[in-house]
Amino acid sequence: MPKRRCSWTQDGDDLPKRLKTGHCRLENLSDELLLRILSLLPVHELASCQSLSRRMRNMAGDAELWKQAYFEHFVQPRLARVCRYKRRQHRSLSIRRFNPKNWVDDEDLVRHGSRRDWKHRFKIRYRWSKGLCDLDEIPVAESPPIPRVLARMSHGVIHTIDSDHGLRAWSYRNPRKMLASQALTIDPQISLPRKPTALAVEQSSKMPHVQYIVTGFEDGSLQCNTFDRDSDSYALTHSGSASANGSLMGLALSDTHLATLHRNQTLAFYEHKQPTLGAPVGKQPLVPRLLTTLRSRSIHFPLSMSIRKAPSAAVVALAYSSPTLVSGWSPALQELHFTRDGVLQDSRLAFPPPDLSDTLTRGAQSRISAADDTENSRDAARPSSICYSHPYLLTTHADNTLTLSMVMSTEEGVKMSRKTRLWGHTSSVCGAQVESRGRAVSVSSRGEEIRIWQLEGAALPNNRGLFELEQSSILLTPEKKQYSSSADQQIVTRPRPREVEPPFQHRGCAKEAITRGWVGFDEENVVVLKEHLPGDQLLAVYDFS
């Protein structure tokens, strides 16, 4: 009795050579049916299907499938968290998932005609949510300069400045290397380079390849530079003289204005002209013109300065620490509204309402020791750093916690919500950075513990009128790079076990890492300025891509 032919072959056709080892019946389906089936699979199974065949690799890597997965895993939960949608409303959003209005602040990703690598974007967001990253280090200095190294990051470039090496630009994306450098001007009184104390960087709105860099020095002088991303070169545009107001401790820079704060609490508000299109980068008119000066007596360090645009004015926001009788120290926010000519229109001040827990803690401490009202105890309770990005005001403390306050700024005034304690660190927190969308990164003083916070949605009170966070922090633990021929299987999936070393394990090690309090991040990287004992400084780049 002759053997029957396979059901998927026709009479007269030879059996394909690759069918002898097995055949997937899904290959017989049309592209439309196959895409429909793949759209119902979990993400980790969708990534696994790409290793079946060439056709399945193309089908499972379709941009619309990963766009749908991106929306369901990241946009929908964020929309529900912010807007407090109910379950039935949450499900109905999937019908209109391609409507840009449903993407909250990500509507630029779904603009008509824009092509995005949705698979790559999903991979980055997934690794952010799990704390999966690769670690790379960029040596900056072999010995700690005095004052310490200052760093700021902007659009793929990190600008560092210190008295020993001057102003330098680093690329924290592959390839990671130094792009440019410029020596500092010599102080004529001591015949040594001036000591930088403050640094601010801003991207030009008219010329995307140009960045503005303003540096403040210990003698109160200002230095303005431009950095051309096309030629990777610095250009000095302004170098000011020393000031009698003391060293510069704070800078805030925007496209049109500059705000400075000196040691004696003198605030200066400047204006600098917009660049001229087509003119050489080195001849851009970045010379600041002084508009007005103000004097304060209640600002205490640390502080955070920022400038945001208003319809008819520029708003300078000063977030600083203020001494109180209840808890020792409390964050404060002052908004200064200036006209385009530098005239002060309004000044608003806000404090968070007193917290009962701070009152009880302060009372218990006063009963234990009568020396709690001394200057030493107040310094111990002072925040280690403050960062502000409207509407989030985040402070870090030496007691392993962070404090979040929400800022509500309206035409009538400015208000601050009750403070919310954030727990999770196992050692003192020395630095943090927050963005306007609610993502924050905090780093401990030991430099081995970095946590990611999702603060968005915390501005909405619960039934008791208190502000609570819906998500806990994520511990960032870098993993070793896995070089594999199949990059698709590294996108998703259940995270493989990793050896996590606790932060307190290296305290007796000679190469102990100390964080200098600066941390910056963007969509793909987190950068931390560290110092390895006995003194070499480096930029630790945590890559999520």
Side-chain angles (χ1 to χ4, degrees), residues 30 41 45 51 87 142 182 220 254 285 313 394 535:
S30 62
L41 295 180
E45 295 183 5
S51 60
R87 282 287 182 181
E142 296 181 356
Q182 186 181 65
S254 68
L394 197 62

Side-chain angles (χ1 to χ4, degrees), residues 441-477:
V441 178
S442 59
V443 59
S444 63
S445 58
R446 293 294 176 182
E448 299 294 338
E449 186 179 10
I450 302 174
R451 290 191 171 271
I452 303 173
W453 306 83
Q454 184 55 254
L455 307 178
E456 197 171 34
L460 301 177
N462 57 11
N463 297 331
R464 296 177 297 172
L466 301 178
F467 294 84
E468 295 182 354
L469 293 176
E470 296 183 356
Q471 294 184 1
S472 59
S473 61
I474 301 172
L475 179 62
L476 189 62
T477 50

Side-chain angles (χ1 to χ4, degrees), residues 31-43:
D31 293 347
E32 291 77 9
L33 290 177
L34 192 57
L35 288 175
R36 176 59 180 171
I37 295 174
L38 293 176
S39 65
L40 303 176
L41 295 180
V43 178

Side-chain angles (χ1 to χ4, degrees), residues 475-533:
L475 179 62
L476 189 62
T477 50
E479 59 185 3
K480 295 181 180 180
K481 295 183 179 180
Q482 300 291 335
Y483 296 96
S484 174
S485 58
S486 178
D488 299 323
Q489 308 232 352
Q490 301 176 7
I491 296 181
V492 201
T493 66
R494 307 172 179 97
R496 51 184 179 273
R498 294 169 292 160
E499 296 181 358
V500 179
E501 298 177 348
F504 49 80
Q505 186 172 348
H506 299 283
R507 292 187 178 180
C509 183
K511 278 293 185 178
E512 182 180 0
I514 298 177
T515 305
R516 284 303 178 183
W518 178 82
V519 57
F521 66 93
D522 58 7
E523 292 294 332
E524 299 183 4
N525 299 274
V526 172
V527 184
V528 180
L529 181 62
K530 291 184 179 182
E531 177 180 332
H532 280 176
L533 298 181

Side-chain angles (χ1 to χ4, degrees), residues 37 42 49 100 103 119 141-142 195 199 251 269 286 338 345 403 432 473 488 495 498 527 532 534:
I37 295 174
C49 288
W103 288 68
K119 183 178 174 182
E142 296 181 356
K195 298 180 180 180
L199 180 65
L251 289 175
F269 189 63
L286 193 59
F338 292 97
Q345 285 184 331
T403 302
S473 61
D488 299 323
R498 294 169 292 160
V527 184
H532 280 176

